[in-house]
Amino acid sequence: MSKEIESHRFLEFAYQLYKTMKTNEINLVYEGEVTQEITKTFTSLTEKNMARSEEPNQVQRKVFNVMVECLQNISKHADTLSDEADDDRRGIVMVSKGDDSYKIITGNVIRNSKVPGLKESLEHINSLDKAGLSSLYKQQIMEAKLSEKGGAGLGLIDIAKKTGSKLSYQFKELNEDVSFFILTSTIKRNY
């Protein structure tokens, strides 16, 4: 393939990506290793973006808090595509602004052996109302049922509590060892 054709295809891809982002009102996208520094940068950019659009403080706080929790989940729980110890724990994060809500979409690799337990936790969280979520959160803390990486699913419970919305999720199997876990958190803009 000639360089000119390759360049044209890349430019077409970039333009299509731009159109898709505009159509879906995606304000920010990041793909890569999720570190504390990346979390600070990403949340700072989102805060500035929301302040410019004069979102109410309550909405800004919720978006900020949910984003931090989502990024921490990737940082703590993402698996790698290989067994290399120094392989980055990568993820993707997108923030979109619709007419009535913000959506924070995260994705990361997860071992297939973890999928059933995570799916069960997500279904349980989604089955609870606000009081049930608060009760589960307290119960998890009291029992100190922490995983080897800490948290005992507290992050997911906290996201559901803060958003007041069900957690939308998908698992896309990549191979027999790992899947790609996509989590969508919705924060309503009208209060």
Side-chain angles (χ1 to χ4, degrees):
M1 181 180 336
S2 78
K3 286 189 183 219
E4 187 176 314
I5 292 172
E6 194 174 306
S7 176
H8 177 72
R9 284 186 180 166
F10 179 76
L11 291 174
E12 183 61 29
F13 166 76
Y15 177 66
Q16 291 303 323
L17 179 62
Y18 170 78
K19 279 181 27 181
T20 300
M21 288 178 64
K22 282 300 199 191
T23 301
N24 293 295
E25 297 191 55
I26 297 172
N27 299 10
L28 292 170
V29 176
Y30 172 78
E31 188 283 326
E33 184 180 12
V34 178
T35 63
Q36 190 67 26
E37 294 78 27
I38 294 297
T39 299
K40 285 179 189 175
T41 301
F42 207 71
T43 53
S44 175
L45 287 170
T46 300
E47 278 184 307
K48 286 177 186 171
N49 202 356
M50 285 191 305
R52 262 185 267 137
S53 48
E54 300 178 359
E55 284 296 341
N57 285 341
Q58 183 179 14
V59 173
Q60 288 185 43
R61 271 193 311 277
K62 283 189 180 194
V63 170
F64 176 81
N65 290 331
V66 170
M67 180 181 299
V68 168
E69 198 62 59
C70 288
L71 289 165
Q72 286 177 344
N73 279 343
I74 292 173
S75 176
K76 290 179 187 174
H77 301 291
D79 288 316
T80 60
L81 285 170
S82 72
D83 292 329
E84 297 295 318
D86 61 347
D87 202 8
D88 294 342
R89 294 178 187 278
R90 301 175 69 87
I92 186 167
V93 182
M94 292 182 275
V95 178
S96 71
K97 175 185 171 186
D99 291 337
D100 60 352
S101 65
Y102 278 91
K103 289 190 186 301
I104 299 171
I105 302 125
T106 58
N108 60 272
V109 173
I110 181 173
R111 297 253 166 243
N112 287 338
S113 60
K114 295 179 182 178
V115 170
L118 180 54
K119 187 174 183 180
E120 184 180 322
S121 293
L122 287 160
E123 287 175 1
H124 181 61
I125 289 166
N126 280 342
S127 74
L128 300 173
D129 60 10
K130 191 174 185 175
L133 288 168
S134 292
S135 176
L136 179 61
Y137 189 85
K138 289 175 190 169
Q139 176 188 341
Q140 293 287 62
I141 290 174
M142 296 286 276
E143 291 177 4
K145 222 168 104 178
L146 299 176
S147 69
E148 68 278 359
K149 294 186 181 180
L154 291 174
L156 294 173
I157 299 166
D158 202 30
I159 291 168
K161 281 176 56 178
K162 285 180 176 141
T163 63
S165 300
K166 302 295 180 199
L167 301 176
S168 175
Y169 63 91
Q170 284 186 319
F171 297 95
K172 302 277 189 190
E173 189 171 310
L174 301 175
N175 60 41
E176 70 236 13
D177 297 322
V178 295
S179 290
F180 196 72
F181 168 52
I182 302 165
L183 177 69
T184 303
S185 308
T186 303
I187 299 107
K188 291 181 176 51
R189 295 178 64 209
N190 50 352
Y191 289 96

